[in-house]
Amino acid sequence: MIVMKFGGTSVEDARAMKNVIDIVTQERGRTPLVVVSAISGATNTLLSAAELAVDGKIEEAINSLNDLYERHILVLENLIDTRSTVQQLLLETRRRIDELKHLCQSIAVLGELTKRSLDAIASVGERLSSFILTEGMKERGLPAVLVDARSIIITDDHFASATPLFNHIEEKAKATIQPLIDDKKIIVTQGFIGSTTKGITSTLGRGGSDYTAAILGSVLNTEEIQIWTDVDGVLTADPRIAPAAKKLKILSFREASELAYFGAKVLHPSTILPAVKKNIPVVVLNSKRPNSSGTQIVANPPKSNVAVKAIASKKGITVINIQSTRMLMAYGFLESIFFIFSKHKTPVDLVSTSEVAVSLTIDNTARLERVVTDLEEFAEVTVYDRKAIVCIVGEQMHSTAGVADRIFHALGNINAMMISQGASEINMSLVINEADANEAVKRLHAEFFEPVPEMELFESVGAA
Ligand code: ASP
Ligand code: MG
């Protein structure tokens, strides 16, 4: 059994949905459980309609719901041929959109919008897309069955970012899903949505469909989880910066997590943690190019001789240098520094220390002034903005001699003002001037990947 999750762009229109049905048909032999997102943009439209309503802009809210209705009608009319099915779907879609309009009207009257209502409203996106997709599958002869995720994904009541209750979910999944699987049915369910133990609709937070896929894969112990999206997978670098970038066929969960910070927007690693913990491979695939092999993310990939797997960079970094003679031989100094960052809710990314100074980086400067004022109570503070972090990632880096040498050699005249080799030892991060960031990535990519060190690990982008 496998889980196949399709994101919003994979079901954005009738053509995309047909494509999804073809992909699922090909995997039929592996008993797929399909997790589907709302059609692209639907969740945003639903949430903004609710916001418009609470601001009293009810007409605008209704208009955007009408647009959403039209989009769904277009999808279903172009996907389904059987007149009676189209009729049934039209009625049901209209009924649900009408319900939303009433809800928005009440919100406008009350002038109050709770997270609980937002979840109820947002859930309609996935409920409609899954309904249409299931009918499309049935019409093409697949034994599809729609299972409402709210009957399985049981969560706490922290609406808008609810926590799944694994024990409940496991019980429900085994009771509901297993018999259907045994019956060789193809189950379709919604990503992102769930319900509390009291049966009230909740959501796992934005982008939560990947999480749903991993949760279901883990409680059902599936052989694989496929995340179908609109990119080929994880690349060795941003191809806009390094045009020779290749796709990685496999990487470790830890490598994927490091890269996520740098905006490798493929998926958020924390969402697939339940799968990784159970050693279930997660494969990221491109529904626009289904024959490309994708990127597999696993807990422990087979050892390879490739030390460096990817180069990433992030601009807009600010370095804060904190210097104080009080640090010398004192304990509690770092604690007092980090207390200030936590008090002002400012995450710190890289840290490097010497006997008398601490340098650290932040990328959110919204509360920088307050942080600096507090730090200046006991230290000398210097702020450097317009910096970038360049990160070199690879599980085998620490056990390969000469990597650092190659990095600095490749960088040549680009000066690093801060260097941090993570304790995790799977990355080296360098802080450089923002203006040098692209050139640094290009040079490092040329050094480590042009030509690629071991072809089995990589695939050209646009191949297949
Ligand atoms: N539709 C939801 C969102 O846009 C969940 C998802 O797509 O993963 O956030
Ligand atoms: Mg999404």
Side-chain angles (χ1 to χ4, degrees):
M1 176 186 180
I2 59 171
V3 172
M4 304 177 83
K5 178 259 167 174
F6 294 92
T9 51
S10 302
V11 290
E12 63 192 346
D13 53 26
R15 230 181 86 186
M17 283 218 188
K18 281 181 197 164
N19 193 25
V20 165
I21 297 172
D22 288 342
I23 293 170
V24 172
T25 306
Q26 279 190 13
E27 290 284 34
R28 218 183 135 174
R30 298 171 82 191
T31 342
L33 182 160
V34 177
V35 174
V36 68
S37 290
I39 65 174
S40 64
T43 312
N44 285 343
T45 305
L46 289 163
L47 294 174
S48 75
E51 300 289 354
L52 287 168
V54 76
D55 288 345
K57 298 176 186 154
I58 190 67
E59 216 166 296
E60 285 175 52
I62 302 277
N63 285 342
S64 66
L65 290 175
N66 284 336
D67 289 346
L68 195 65
Y69 172 76
E70 295 298 335
R71 269 193 76 195
H72 283 90
I73 296 310
L74 209 60
V75 175
L76 71 91
E77 285 187 331
N78 286 302
L79 180 71
I80 308 219
D81 293 327
T82 318
R83 228 29 244 168
S84 56
T85 315
V86 171
Q87 217 48 45
Q88 181 209 346
L89 281 170
L90 280 173
L91 279 176
E92 188 55 31
T93 307
R94 160 115 339 256
R95 193 182 65 76
R96 293 190 197 178
I97 297 282
D98 282 347
E99 240 175 60
L100 281 176
K101 288 182 186 169
H102 289 137
L103 204 54
C104 282
Q105 259 143 0
S106 330
I107 289 167
V109 172
L110 292 171
E112 188 188 55
L113 179 59
T114 61
K115 286 187 173 167
R116 178 174 156 167
S117 312
L118 276 172
D119 277 358
I121 292 168
S123 75
V124 176
E126 267 72 9
R127 284 160 54 211
L128 285 176
S129 64
S130 57
F131 188 35
I132 298 170
L133 181 66
T134 309
E135 291 306 320
M137 286 183 172
K138 284 201 231 162
E139 193 178 68
R140 283 163 183 77
L142 291 177
V145 180
L146 179 61
V147 172
D148 193 324
R150 293 172 300 173
S151 66
I152 296 169
I153 305 293
I154 307 300
T155 70
D156 68 7
D157 59 3
H158 285 99
F159 296 103
S161 60
T163 301
L165 304 174
F166 278 86
N167 289 344
H168 290 266
I169 295 172
E170 186 161 359
E171 199 181 296
K172 303 266 183 200
K174 287 197 170 137
T176 315
I177 291 179
Q178 201 58 53
L180 293 168
I181 295 289
D182 294 343
D183 223 16
K184 298 270 180 286
K185 295 283 193 250
I186 294 177
I187 296 171
V188 180
T189 193
Q190 305 86 6
F192 176 55
I193 72 173
S195 78
T196 67
T197 48
K198 293 196 179 114
I200 299 155
T201 300
S202 57
T203 70
L204 301 172
R206 294 306 307 271
S209 294
D210 293 340
Y211 199 18
T212 305
I215 294 167
L216 289 175
S218 103
V219 300
L220 292 163
N221 239 320
T222 59
E223 61 189 78
E224 180 175 288
I225 296 169
Q226 301 178 347
I227 306 285
W228 290 86
T229 167
D230 57 359
V231 296
D232 275 344
V234 180
L235 306 187
T236 50
D238 182 339
R240 288 166 303 184
I241 303 175
K246 297 280 182 294
K247 194 202 68 199
L248 284 150
K249 288 190 193 164
I250 188 163
L251 85 165
S252 76
F253 175 72
R254 298 203 305 155
E255 290 166 337
S257 305
E258 291 289 350
L259 290 170
Y261 170 75
F262 295 92
K265 269 198 269 109
V266 177
L267 50 75
H268 205 286
S270 63
T271 63
I272 61 162
L273 198 57
V276 173
K277 275 191 187 154
K278 280 213 167 168
N279 266 322
I280 300 171
V282 176
V283 193
V284 178
L285 293 145
N286 187 349
S287 66
K288 311 279 178 220
R289 297 186 333 101
N291 294 324
S292 164
S293 64
T295 297
Q296 209 181 353
I297 299 169
V298 297
N300 301 301
K303 280 239 169 338
S304 81
N305 294 320
V306 178
V308 173
K309 297 279 183 57
I311 317 277
S313 65
K314 187 167 188 150
K315 295 177 183 165
I317 299 292
T318 298
V319 173
I320 305 173
N321 195 57
I322 304 152
Q323 197 157 344
S324 166
T325 44
R326 292 232 313 256
M327 183 173 170
L328 208 60
M329 320 278 287
Y331 54 83
F333 186 73
L334 287 176
E335 188 184 351
S336 42
I337 289 178
F338 285 115
F339 173 75
I340 290 167
F341 283 88
S342 116
K343 179 175 142 200
H344 296 297
K345 298 193 169 51
T346 299
V348 170
D349 299 308
L350 298 186
V351 185
S352 95
T353 69
S354 75
E355 266 311 319
V356 291
V358 179
S359 305
L360 39 82
T361 69
I362 59 171
D363 60 18
N364 179 349
T365 50
R367 300 182 183 86
L368 178 60
E369 253 176 64
R370 277 173 271 174
V371 168
V372 170
T373 309
D374 281 4
L375 288 170
E376 277 173 343
E377 298 268 311
F378 59 88
E380 222 172 275
V381 181
T382 325
V383 174
Y384 306 90
D385 61 0
R386 289 186 206 197
K387 300 294 167 195
I389 296 177
V390 173
C391 176
I392 302 106
V393 175
E395 209 49 88
Q396 248 91 66
M397 255 170 71
H398 65 286
S399 55
T400 312
V403 175
D405 193 39
R406 288 177 69 188
I407 291 173
F408 289 107
H409 189 79
L411 285 175
N413 61 352
I414 297 176
N415 186 45
M417 75 178 295
M418 216 175 129
I419 301 164
S420 154
Q421 165 114 44
S424 63
E425 291 184 25
I426 71 157
N427 79 83
M428 185 185 270
S429 296
L430 307 165
V431 178
I432 62 176
N433 283 330
E434 201 174 72
D436 292 331
N438 287 3
E439 182 58 26
V441 171
K442 266 187 217 154
R443 289 183 189 177
L444 290 165
H445 196 269
E447 170 67 29
F448 289 101
F449 301 104
E450 299 169 30
V452 287
E454 215 181 277
M455 203 52 214
E456 313 71 279
L457 275 183
F458 305 93
E459 191 174 272
S460 295
V461 183

